Amino acid sequence: TVFGVCFYKRMPPRTQRSKAAKGDEDDHWKPVGRVQPLQMDTGANGRGANLQEILAKIELMQKVGPRTLHGTCNDMCPISERYNRQSWKIYDPLECEPGTTELSHRRMVKVYKKEAAASDVSLDADLRSLAGLTLTMDYLLHEIFTDHHAQEGLSAWQNFLSDRMRSIRKDIAIQRLCTPDSIALMEKIVRFYIFSGHYLMGTPRFESTLNAQQLVGTIEELLDMYRRIAPSMPAAAANEAEFYSYKILRSIGKPEFMTVMLQVPASLFFHPAIVFAQEIASAFSDGNYIAFFRKARQAPHICGCVLAERAFDQVRTRALVTIEAAYKPPKSPVSLVDIMNWLGFDSIDEARLFLDHHRVDYTETSIILTTDLPQVKPMTQRATWLLQELERTPMAEIVNGGPLGAFVLREPQDPFVQHRDKPSTTAAATVDGRQTGSRVQAQVAAQPSLGRFDGNTADSQGVGDGE
C-alpha cells in the first residue's frame, strides 16, 4: 500500500461498531480528510494499472528533468506582448516612429519582466529564438546606442537599453543557450554595462549600484558559459581572457582579489590581457601611482573604463597621502603640473578639481601640504582621454567589439495584419447576385473572429491581455 499524507482519528469502541466493521480486528485507525490512501489493486476493475503508469511517468520525469523551452519568436518582441502593451499604452518613446508619438510594432523590443513565484511557465512563442535575440541586439546597437541618443541625456537611451538587454539575458537563461552566438550576445551586454558605468558616472538619475549588480551577474553567467563550451568548442571561448581581465580589474583592492586570480584557467595565465591586469594590480598594491597611470593609458577602452570607475580616485587619494609625507618643507614644493603628470590628469583644471574636492590648498606654483587630509566621499570624474576616443570610435563599435555589420529594420510577423489583407469572401459570391452575396456575408459575420484584432472581440481581448 502507498500512503499519502493524511489525518487520522481514533475509532469508537469495538462494541459501537457496525457488524460490517467487526471483521476488521486489526483496524484501530481510520484515515480521514481529503487525501485517502491509494490501494494497489491489480484486479480488472482496480486502480493498480493507473497507479503504476503514474509512478512510471514520475520516475521518467525525475530522470529526464524539466522540459527545456525553445523560443519560436523570431522578432524583437512577441506578438502577445506587442498587442498587450499597445492596449495598455505601455511603451517607451524610443519605440515610436522617429519624430512622432505613434507606436511602431517594428520598433518594439521585449521588456524585462520579473516572474512571480506562482506565475505560469513561459510559452515557446513568448521566448525569442537565437535569431530573434541577435536581431534585437543588432537593432539596439544600430538604432538606439548612438551618439545622437546619448547627447539627449540619460533618459533617452540608458534605461531603455539596460532593461532590454536584461530581457535578452533572461531569454538566454530560460532556454539554457550556450552557443557561440549566445556567448557573443553576453559579451556585448558586459561591455555595455562597463561602458555605462564610466560614461554616466556621476550623472543624475543614473543608478550606478544597479548597473554594477547587473554587470557582476552578467560576467558570472558569461564565464560559466565559457567553462561549459570550451572543451567542445574552443573557438567560442576566444575572448575568455578579455572578460577574466575585467573581473580581475574590478577586484583590485578587494579581499576577493586572490580568489579571482585563482579562478583564472591555467591556459590563460600568460595571455596578454591577464598579464596586463596583473601588472596593473601589482602597481596598485605597491602604491606606485606613476606606473599605474602610465600603464592605464595603454589599456584598451573597456579596460580603461573599468579602471576609471573602480580605481582612479582610490589611487589618487592614496598618492596624495604619499606625496604629503614625502614632500614636506623644506623639500622642494610640488606644483600643479607635477600633480597633473603624476596622477594621470589631462589638464590643470582636472587637477584643480581634484584638489578642491579633497580640500587641499594650492597656488599656481605649488600646493600647500597639510598633516592630515580630510575624509571626503570618493570623487566621480570621467577620464578625458577615454572620452576623446569616442570621437574616433563610435560607442556602438566599442560595445560590439568591432565594426558593425549591415542592418535593415523589417516588419515583424503579424497574423492579424495578414488576415485583414486577405480578400473578402463576399467578393467571390457573385453567381446568384445580391441575394447570394448577402447570405455569404451573414455566414461570415456569424463566425467567431479568429484572426482580426478588434478590441470588442473576445479573441482580440485575449491577445491584448497576453494570454
Side-chain angles (χ1 to χ4, degrees):
T1 306
V2 179
F3 290 95
V5 178
C6 52
F7 298 95
Y8 294 85
K9 70 178 182 179
R10 185 70 179 175
M11 291 289 292
R14 188 174 302 175
T15 55
Q16 299 180 8
R17 296 187 193 176
S18 60
K19 294 183 179 180
K22 286 184 179 181
D24 302 331
E25 297 294 336
D26 298 330
D27 187 14
H28 299 290
W29 298 87
K30 180 180 179 181
V32 297
R34 290 181 296 178
V35 181
Q36 298 294 335
L38 301 177
Q39 302 294 332
M40 183 68 76
D41 186 3
T42 57
N45 297 326
R47 296 179 298 178
N50 293 335
L51 181 59
Q52 291 178 356
E53 182 180 355
I54 294 173
L55 295 178
K57 290 182 178 180
I58 294 175
E59 183 178 1
L60 179 63
M61 291 177 61
Q62 292 176 348
K63 291 181 179 179
V64 176
R67 183 180 74 89
T68 302
L69 297 173
H70 299 282
T72 59
C73 176
N74 295 324
D75 299 321
M76 297 189 296
C77 186
I79 183 173
S80 59
E81 179 179 325
R82 283 192 277 120
Y83 280 103
N84 185 25
R85 290 168 55 195
Q86 181 184 22
S87 62
W88 289 97
K89 296 182 175 10
I90 304 176
Y91 54 87
D92 194 274
L94 291 172
E95 294 177 316
C96 299
E97 287 294 336
T100 67
T101 58
E102 180 181 358
L103 177 63
S104 174
H105 276 230
R106 66 174 185 165
R107 296 184 179 274
M108 294 184 69
V109 184
K110 183 179 179 181
V111 301
Y112 172 78
K113 183 177 68 171
K114 189 175 181 179
E115 299 290 349
S119 62
D120 296 335
V121 180
S122 300
L123 301 177
D124 289 345
D126 294 332
L127 294 175
R128 288 165 292 185
S129 62
L130 196 55
L133 294 171
T134 304
L135 174 67
T136 304
M137 180 61 72
D138 291 342
Y139 168 76
L140 294 177
L141 294 182
H142 280 83
E143 302 290 334
I144 306 299
F145 194 64
T146 60
D147 298 331
H148 170 70
H149 288 303
Q151 293 173 359
E152 296 178 358
L154 168 65
S155 60
W157 59 276
Q158 202 279 335
N159 291 336
F160 179 82
L161 285 169
S162 179
D163 179 86
R164 272 38 175 193
M165 289 191 179
R166 194 175 180 184
S167 175
I168 293 176
R169 283 179 54 203
K170 181 181 176 181
D171 281 8
I172 292 175
I174 291 177
Q175 301 178 69
R176 303 178 185 178
L177 297 177
C178 188
T179 63
D181 291 336
S182 62
I183 287 177
L185 294 174
M186 295 291 288
E187 291 174 350
K188 296 172 185 178
I189 296 175
V190 171
R191 296 191 190 102
F192 166 75
Y193 284 130
I194 293 175
F195 182 88
S196 299
H198 171 257
Y199 185 80
L200 300 172
M201 182 170 48
T203 306
R205 296 172 55 194
F206 173 61
E207 299 178 0
S208 58
T209 303
L210 178 60
N211 186 82
Q213 292 175 353
Q214 295 302 317
L215 172 59
V216 171
T218 310
I219 289 181
E220 293 299 330
E221 294 172 7
L222 176 59
L223 296 180
D224 180 67
M225 295 170 71
Y226 282 140
R227 286 189 286 267
R228 285 187 289 163
I229 203 174
S232 58
M233 300 181 65
N239 298 330
E240 185 177 9
E242 173 191 350
F243 292 90
Y244 265 111
S245 68
Y246 298 156
K247 187 174 181 179
I248 293 172
L249 295 176
R250 285 185 54 82
S251 63
I252 288 178
K254 294 183 178 181
E256 63 268 18
F257 173 76
M258 290 305 302
T259 304
V260 174
M261 290 298 302
L262 293 175
Q263 294 175 355
V264 179
S267 59
L268 302 177
F269 211 74
F270 296 100
H271 191 279
I274 304 299
V275 173
F276 171 81
Q278 290 176 337
E279 292 175 350
I280 287 286
S282 177
F284 179 90
S285 61
D286 295 341
N288 191 345
Y289 49 87
I290 296 179
F292 177 88
F293 285 106
R294 184 185 298 118
K295 197 69 180 176
R297 285 185 174 272
Q298 303 173 6
H301 191 94
I302 297 297
C303 285
C305 291
V306 176
L307 293 173
E309 180 193 2
R310 303 292 299 179
F312 275 15
D313 184 74
Q314 188 175 355
V315 173
R316 286 165 178 164
T317 303
R318 291 171 54 186
L320 201 58
V321 176
T322 304
I323 293 172
E324 186 272 334
Y327 289 90
K328 287 182 178 179
K331 296 182 179 180
S332 59
V334 178
S335 64
L336 286 175
V337 177
D338 294 331
I339 294 295
M340 178 187 71
N341 295 330
W342 293 348
L343 302 188
F345 293 111
D346 293 281
S347 64
I348 295 292
D349 293 335
E350 290 185 0
R352 289 194 183 100
L353 289 175
F354 175 76
L355 295 176
D356 291 339
H357 180 78
H358 289 273
R359 303 173 188 174
V360 177
D361 297 330
Y362 59 89
T363 63
E364 293 299 327
T365 57
S366 65
I367 64 173
I368 303 173
L369 300 172
T370 58
T371 305
D372 296 322
L373 292 175
Q375 297 292 331
V376 295
K377 295 182 179 180
M379 184 178 182
T380 56
Q381 187 175 8
R382 295 181 291 178
T384 304
W385 57 276
L386 287 174
L387 300 178
Q388 291 174 350
E389 289 187 11
L390 298 179
E391 299 177 0
R392 302 186 297 269
T393 306
M395 297 187 304
E397 291 188 4
I398 294 175
V399 172
N400 190 60
L404 296 172
F407 175 76
V408 178
L409 184 61
R410 61 173 177 83
E411 294 290 339
Q413 298 178 1
D414 195 337
F416 301 107
V417 174
Q418 295 173 3
H419 182 79
R420 288 198 301 265
D421 294 340
K422 290 182 179 180
S424 176
T425 309
T426 58
T430 58
V431 178
D432 296 338
R434 183 181 303 176
Q435 183 178 1
T436 304
S438 61
R439 183 172 64 252
V440 175
Q441 190 175 14
Q443 293 176 357
V444 173
Q447 295 178 356
S449 175
L450 299 178
R452 179 171 54 86
F453 180 77
D454 188 355
N456 297 325
T457 60
D459 181 71
S460 62
Q461 291 174 0
V463 174
D465 295 336
E467 298 177 350

